[in-house]
Amino acid sequence: MPEYKGLKMPAKASVEDMRRIHIEPVPDDQKVEKAIQYLDEMRKKFRSFVLAMESCVKCGLCAENCHTYLGTRDPNNIPTNRAELIRKIYRRYFTLEGRWFGKLVGAEDLNLDIIEQWYSYFYQCNECRRCAHVCPFGIDTCEVTMIGRQILHWLGIVPKLHADVGAAMERTGNHTGLTKPAIVDTLEFLSEEIKDEFGVDVEFPVDKEGADIMYVPSSADFLLNPYTLMGAGMFFTYIGANWTIPSTITEAGNFGLLFDQQHTMRHNFTRLLHAAQKLGVKKIVWGECGHGWRAWKMYLPGMADLPIRWPITHIHDEVAYYIRTNQLKLDPNKIGRPVTLHDPCNYVRACGMAETLRTVIRACVADFREMYPNKENNFCCGGGSAILFDDPEMYQLRIKFSQKKAEQVRATGVGRDGNGILCAPCSICKAQLYPMVEEHQLGVEVKGLIDLVGMALVWK
């Protein structure tokens, strides 16, 4: 893992990597000047950012509510201290007292060392927003991280992981670089798997014009989470839906929310709406991805380049509706294992989905055990905002970030006999938790919520 004067940081994208996402990195001798310019633009554009810069009283309530600090005990991972890395620069250049009294009031001149600190610590923040949930002033430190990452992007400083994903999204419409032939081939294979395991005929239509529903899965479901995609196909088949998967955007995730809202998010939104228009669908249904769902739900209306003529719902809401209206028969005894639920941060703290998740899971399993705290108070898995770096030292940080989640899972007792299920209804949460349950020896298997739906369905 690259280090800069002892700082832990993910591998950086190269100049060529950045050019693939249309950014020409700023030369070092211009970085400080450009960073101040970008910071000025952000403070003029976002009042919430100014609130975060000027209202924090350092009460410290966020410290014990932040899993990254609890896992690392690094003072710079206390949310208010992480924000202070940019706040002291804001104070120096954009407040009267900072310009007059400098370090006496906690203001500092910007330099390259501080920019490297931004890169290190803004990519140790999972953007889970638990700090905002407990802040007595409602300061959303996640927004500070988002703005810090955006400035770093404009400077040409981005993790290689994020830059590669952004380039793949532009090239193929998904994060993993899947082409249409690979998509079709994988879906045909999954149809065969469903027939062999469940005895049900399920077809996965691709680019079907005139379909009622356009389903947008996570591309990870083609590679790492096949039972999530299988469960979705079984659900749509069960309800008799006229549905399709668009080959041009097989991606529920949206890395634009994680490093460059202005470019990648617009690109993703453009693909989404153009696919819906081309196929002539009536509704868009979103797959299991927390940050992706927050992006579409919260940001799409203000950034779309086409009128939004289609209702956009989440597959969890669709399933919950059919459960509540008694149109979906599920047998919870088919899953004879104890199950606990991880509440993805973006679902419960940003999109109000806590009860929807429980409507579905209680209908699917007989032995459901809540972890505590839960719902809006739940702790992040430690992988949020795509902190999924595999270089050894960053991977060790991921283990530390997941320590609080491991304690929560262990306390439920679901893994005591090595036969439990940890339900993680989000693609990035799954990617984080697959290795983490092994590292912490939790005795559980990670599955998505739609996986459980497919397993519990009672066919007519």
Side-chain angles (χ1 to χ4, degrees), residues 9-49:
M9 56 182 64
K12 292 178 182 176
S14 67
V15 172
E16 292 74 20
D17 294 331
M18 293 305 297
R19 285 172 179 163
R20 280 195 287 271
I21 54 174
H22 313 298
I23 285 290
E24 188 65 36
V26 175
D28 284 353
D29 61 355
Q30 299 175 29
K31 278 189 170 73
V32 169
E33 179 184 356
K34 296 298 289 186
I36 294 169
Q37 174 190 325
Y38 296 142
L39 186 59
D40 191 26
E41 292 174 8
M42 288 298 191
R43 76 179 182 94
K44 291 174 178 175
K45 186 174 183 180
F46 297 108
R47 286 183 293 176
S48 56
F49 177 61

Side-chain angles (χ1 to χ4, degrees), residues 2 9-19 21-26 31 115-116 118-120 123 146 148-167 255-256 258-261 264 385-386 389:
M9 56 182 64
K12 292 178 182 176
S14 67
V15 172
E16 292 74 20
D17 294 331
M18 293 305 297
R19 285 172 179 163
I21 54 174
H22 313 298
I23 285 290
E24 188 65 36
V26 175
K31 278 189 170 73
I115 290 175
E116 292 297 325
W118 289 359
Y119 180 64
S120 174
Y123 281 99
M146 292 171 73
R149 290 187 182 187
Q150 181 68 69
I151 292 172
L152 289 168
H153 170 77
W154 285 332
L155 294 176
I157 307 173
V158 171
K160 181 172 175 54
L161 170 66
H162 291 59
D164 287 349
V165 165
F255 266 46
L258 312 179
F259 75 100
D260 178 29
Q261 296 87 346
T264 309
S385 78
F389 309 113

Side-chain angles (χ1 to χ4, degrees), residues 230-296:
M230 290 161 67
M234 293 165 73
F235 166 68
F236 288 126
T237 300
Y238 187 96
I239 65 174
N242 176 19
W243 70 296
T244 191
I245 292 175
S247 64
T248 55
I249 179 165
T250 48
E251 188 53 74
N254 190 330
F255 266 46
L257 186 68
L258 312 179
F259 75 100
D260 178 29
Q261 296 87 346
Q262 295 186 351
H263 174 72
T264 309
M265 289 179 67
R266 282 198 181 100
H267 176 73
N268 286 20
F269 293 157
T270 297
R271 277 186 177 269
L272 173 72
L273 300 181
H274 281 249
Q277 185 177 59
K278 180 180 179 181
L279 296 176
V281 300
K282 298 177 182 176
K283 179 195 284 188
I284 300 169
V285 176
W286 217 250
E288 287 196 342
C289 181
H291 81 271
W293 179 236
R294 181 187 175 203
W296 305 114

Side-chain angles (χ1 to χ4, degrees), residues 17 78 80 116 125 137 157 204-205 229 250 253 291 311 327-328 335 340 374 401 421 423 431:
D17 294 331
I78 296 174
T80 185
E116 292 297 325
C125 172
F137 290 96
I157 307 173
F204 290 86
L229 196 44
T250 48
H291 81 271
Q327 298 182 68
L328 201 64
I335 303 174
T340 191
N374 55 43
F401 294 167
I421 293 175
C423 179

Side-chain angles (χ1 to χ4, degrees), residues 91-377:
R91 193 178 292 125
R92 165 62 181 86
Y93 295 99
F94 306 116
T95 68
L96 190 61
E97 62 271 23
R99 289 194 295 268
W100 281 4
F101 301 111
K103 289 188 177 182
L104 290 175
V105 293
E108 284 190 32
D109 290 328
L110 183 59
N111 56 49
L112 292 178
D113 287 351
I114 291 174
I115 290 175
E116 292 297 325
Q117 280 189 301
W118 289 359
Y119 180 64
S120 174
Y121 285 102
F122 290 145
Y123 281 99
Q124 290 185 52
C125 172
N126 288 124
E127 299 184 356
C128 77
R129 303 178 70 242
R130 199 170 195 269
C131 53
H133 186 65
V134 301
C135 177
F137 290 96
I139 296 171
D140 192 345
T141 307
C142 169
E143 289 199 25
V144 178
T145 291
M146 292 171 73
I147 284 172
R149 290 187 182 187
Q150 181 68 69
I151 292 172
L152 289 168
H153 170 77
W154 285 332
L155 294 176
I157 307 173
V158 171
K160 181 172 175 54
L161 170 66
H162 291 59
D164 287 349
V165 165
M169 184 67 205
E170 289 207 21
R171 189 173 67 254
T172 63
N174 60 73
H175 293 169
T176 53
L178 285 169
T179 60
K180 183 173 181 177
I183 291 166
V184 171
D185 185 62
T186 302
L187 293 175
E188 289 175 353
F189 172 76
L190 293 182
S191 292
E192 295 171 2
E193 289 292 298
I194 292 171
K195 182 65 175 178
D196 290 344
E197 186 167 348
F198 298 98
V200 181
D201 291 313
V202 171
E203 183 180 342
F204 290 86
V206 177
D207 293 336
K208 179 182 177 182
E209 294 187 7
D212 294 330
I213 292 172
M214 186 176 83
Y215 178 61
V216 183
S218 167
S219 62
D221 295 351
F222 289 82
L223 304 171
L224 300 175
N225 318 315
Y227 280 91
T228 303
L229 196 44
M230 290 161 67
M234 293 165 73
F235 166 68
F236 288 126
T237 300
Y238 187 96
I239 65 174
N242 176 19
W243 70 296
T244 191
I245 292 175
S247 64
T248 55
I249 179 165
T250 48
E251 188 53 74
N254 190 330
F255 266 46
L257 186 68
L258 312 179
F259 75 100
D260 178 29
Q261 296 87 346
Q262 295 186 351
H263 174 72
T264 309
M265 289 179 67
R266 282 198 181 100
H267 176 73
N268 286 20
F269 293 157
T270 297
R271 277 186 177 269
L272 173 72
L273 300 181
H274 281 249
Q277 185 177 59
K278 180 180 179 181
L279 296 176
V281 300
K282 298 177 182 176
K283 179 195 284 188
I284 300 169
V285 176
W286 217 250
E288 287 196 342
C289 181
H291 81 271
W293 179 236
R294 181 187 175 203
W296 305 114
K297 186 177 176 69
M298 303 296 185
Y299 292 83
L300 177 59
M303 301 187 75
D305 68 337
L306 288 176
I308 305 173
R309 303 195 301 269
W310 307 269
I312 304 178
T313 67
H314 197 282
I315 192 168
H316 296 156
D317 292 313
E318 293 289 309
V319 173
Y321 167 79
Y322 278 87
I323 291 171
R324 292 176 184 130
T325 56
N326 298 313
Q327 298 182 68
L328 201 64
K329 190 172 183 181
L330 298 160
D331 181 1
N333 293 310
K334 291 179 74 174
I335 303 174
R337 301 161 64 183
V339 181
T340 191
L341 173 67
H342 162 65
D343 286 289
C345 306
N346 282 297
Y347 285 160
V348 296
R349 278 194 282 274
C351 300
M353 292 180 67
E355 293 306 323
T356 296
L357 301 179
R358 282 156 180 78
T359 295
V360 177
I361 200 166
R362 288 188 177 116
C364 291
V365 301
D367 186 0
F368 169 54
R369 306 179 191 180
E370 288 276 15
M371 65 174 69
Y372 295 94
N374 55 43
K375 302 179 182 179
E376 294 85 356
N377 296 314

